[in-house]
Amino acid sequence: MSVIADDATQSMSRRELMTLVGKVAGTAAMYQMMSSLALAANSTFDKRFSLSGAPKGASVLILGAGLAGMVAAYELQKAGYKVQILEYNNRTGGRNWSLYGGDTYTELGGITQHVQFDKGLYLNPGPWRLPYNHQGILHYCQMLGVKLESFNQANYAAYIHSQNAFGGKPQRYRTVKADFEGAVAELLSKSLQQSQLDQAVTKEDREILLQALRNWGALDQNYRYVKGRASSSRRGFDHWPGGGLDGEPTYSEPVALSDILKSGLWGEIAANDGIPEQPTLFQPVGGMGVIGRKFGELLKNVIRLNSKVVEIKQDETGVTATYVDTVKGGPPQTARGDWCVCTIPASILSQIPMNVSPAMQQAIYAIPYGASCKVGLQMKRRFWEEDEDIYGGITYTDQMNAIIAYPNTDYFSKGKGVLLGAYTFGPNASIFTSMTPQERINAAVQMGANIHPQYRTEFETGVAVAWHRVPWTLGCQGTWSEDARATHYKNICQIDGRIVLAGEHVSMIPAWQEGAVTSSIDAITRLHQRITKG
Amino acid sequence: MKHPIRVATGVVCTVAAVAGIVTAANAQRRGGYNFASGKDIYEHVCQGCHMADAKGAQGAGAYPGLASNRKLQTPLYPVLIVLRGQKAMPSFSALSDEQVVEVVNYIRTNFGNSYPNAVTLDQVKGLRARAVQQQAQRPG
């Protein structure tokens, strides 16, 4: 079977393969194959997902035109339901959002920023990357024709920086990683050779482990991590190998383990090892917001923008949402459906009167929203590429801005570029949120200049989004504590009468678009079952 | 002293901040707030949501104003909210006991509030056991 799968999947879709297997080997074999492929999946999302058979005339009211709301609308409409969406903003996408030159954004407190970026340049204030195993959001990108390009997370040529280590001089990620792993490999080798680990490692494994450590840590023949070809091939050279008479390399001196440990820089190496950080990651060409925009175009006939929901009320036959037009004003209006998928963030929903069970209401109250702030900085030239050989990826710093991320697109272009100059969370994000947008930009520029002095001459204009100042989310994402999850998570997922909730806050993948998509799929699947099977 | 770090994978790691291993700067970035006076704490932490004039804000939802707020009459009410959070408001338990005293007393005596009975350090220490850990989760 595996031979068939390996060859056949090159040229046919999974569905076609199933059909073929079904024809040749019968239905039993097809089901066996289906389940074995499902087991190989890295996601709960099933690409074969589809609902059908809505009762004639049945309607679903959807609150929020973010990804969860639009996935629900699209799939339920396909299944035959009559759908309509109410959306607070004057655009679709919710936190799926990009800011381009010419855009304006007014935060709570009333300050309006006029984005001055050049054409084609943008900041993704919210989500900015799509891990390879987030098959739900990737599926909808494909469905919508959103073109994807690679997102670099780890860039070995980017920096790790600490104000108090190495005189504040940023260190290349590759040298920190090589020196840390090399020194650890050497230490372990010594312990093995001195028989200190005999209780933990058999004699046979010891020899293999020694070889593996030499290989992993770039050790020399004597199991030492020292200046030489092996270590320089990982950490970099003083004079790089090349052609002809100038090609003779000069090896670089590794940093001592003690200095690496005290620097704290090792802390960022593992930051790239989580599954969402592992290659391959993607980003939509032209900005993350392209997904929300295209989804909105597809569903434009069923979306009502500028609609602020002020009350949600269910009765025996349906759900009524009362809303106010945020542009035209006027008296409150109502929208009604037989059922309701509510994707309004819990931060907002906790303030909207809604007659649900106490268990669900308590769950909505139990989700604190995390702080985060992003700052985009336009530079006159792409100095990180031109001067420092950094193409995309991330620099980590222990300054408050936390991150500098380089654009993963338009490499080698002669024009300008927009850096992500700050991406904060936790206490530092609260501090950034308390600043004015201009102060956030100034802070990001000042901190960035400690890593890239070119900032001082190349910075032109910036934009700063602090998520607790975003009028329609009052925070970045649901930050469930383990205790709150144990008590409330199942309750928030239940269908409460005629209402079901969806969004990243109703998922085990908080703060990721995949959480919104998979929560929506799960919610509408159960809702459809309830409607059709009672 | 331990600094809990919440990372994107949802795993809570606890890093022992042993002197000489994790630098002071790292500890600050991952841990608390480096402000002493109530005014400074308010202006660098609280005003992110409650605004510079402490009058709150209104969007799709609202932030309550702290200005002329009668709920602040009860001294321990704001202490508990800072330590535990409330609904969508996260806890600010990364503030030290001293910082909680400073900021609560600042809010209760400014912005049109002038409530007597300043909160004491012992009172905050007494409520510390009820604090909810601040989640510093790196978003996706």
Side-chain angles (χ1 to χ4, degrees), chain B residues 64-84:
Chain B
L66 303 178
S68 308
N69 187 332
R70 291 177 60 83
K71 286 185 180 170
L72 297 174
Q73 246 176 333
T74 312
L76 298 188
Y77 173 74
V79 173
L80 272 174
I81 288 185
V82 169
L83 290 177
R84 296 178 58 79

Side-chain angles (χ1 to χ4, degrees), chain A residues 108-109, chain B residues 42 47 49-58 62-67:
Chain A
L108 289 176
Chain B
Y42 184 84
Q47 80 172 28
C49 295
H50 296 287
M51 303 293 152
D53 58 8
K55 288 184 176 165
Q58 175 77 51
Y63 290 128
L66 303 178

Side-chain angles (χ1 to χ4, degrees), chain A residues 45-122:
Chain A
F45 181 77
D46 186 340
K47 288 173 193 170
R48 296 163 294 173
F49 170 79
S50 178
L51 301 177
S52 61
K56 199 167 159 49
S59 63
V60 182
L61 173 64
I62 295 159
L63 305 178
L67 288 177
M70 290 195 287
V71 164
Y74 174 76
E75 296 294 348
L76 289 170
Q77 193 173 40
K78 246 178 35 175
Y81 290 96
K82 201 177 142 219
V83 299
Q84 59 175 323
I85 308 185
L86 298 179
E87 165 56 42
Y88 175 82
N89 280 320
N90 63 357
R91 59 166 184 87
T92 55
R95 280 166 276 184
N96 173 291
W97 181 30
S98 299
L99 279 168
Y100 305 90
D103 286 352
T104 60
Y105 161 60
T106 303
E107 67 174 41
L108 289 176
I111 299 177
T112 298
Q113 297 179 72
H114 300 267
V115 186
Q116 308 284 327
F117 295 156
D118 277 29
K119 192 173 160 50
L121 303 181
Y122 61 86

Side-chain angles (χ1 to χ4, degrees), chain A residues 88 108-109 128-129 162-164 261-264 266-268 271 274 276-277 308 347-348 350-351 365 367-369 372 396-399 402 423 425-428 430-431 433-434 468-469 471-472 474-482 510-512, chain B residues 5-6 8-10 12 15 20-26 28-35 41-49 51-52 56-64 86-92 94 132-140:
Chain A
Y88 175 82
L108 289 176
W128 58 321
R129 50 197 181 137
S162 167
Q163 299 155 90
N164 300 329
L261 292 177
K262 290 191 180 83
S263 75
W266 47 266
E268 301 298 356
E277 282 75 33
K308 175 180 172 173
S347 48
I348 309 290
S350 60
Q351 303 184 20
Y365 288 160
I367 313 173
Y369 269 59
S372 181
Y396 298 95
T397 170
D398 68 352
Q399 299 176 107
Y423 181 15
F425 57 100
N428 284 327
S430 299
I431 296 168
T433 307
S434 293
H468 270 103
R469 289 279 177 104
W472 35 275
L474 307 187
C476 179
Q477 88 279 19
T479 51
W480 287 91
S481 67
E482 297 302 321
W512 289 90
Chain B
I5 306 168
R6 202 169 166 86
T9 52
V12 178
V15 175
I21 292 183
V22 176
T23 63
N26 258 329
Q28 190 207 324
R29 176 155 83 80
R30 289 171 176 172
Y33 302 92
N34 197 17
F35 309 104
I41 296 164
Y42 184 84
E43 289 175 357
H44 288 99
V45 184
C46 313
Q47 80 172 28
C49 295
M51 303 293 152
Q58 175 77 51
Y63 290 128
Q86 190 183 51
K87 295 183 182 170
M89 174 179 162
S91 88
F92 285 84
V132 172
Q133 201 151 77
Q134 183 167 25
Q135 308 283 321
Q137 184 179 329
R138 187 181 289 197

Side-chain angles (χ1 to χ4, degrees), chain B residues 96-106 119-121 124:
Chain B
S96 69
D97 294 338
E98 290 78 5
Q99 287 173 315
V100 175
V101 169
E102 289 296 322
V103 76
V104 166
N105 285 338
Y106 177 75
V119 167
T120 67
L121 190 59
V124 175

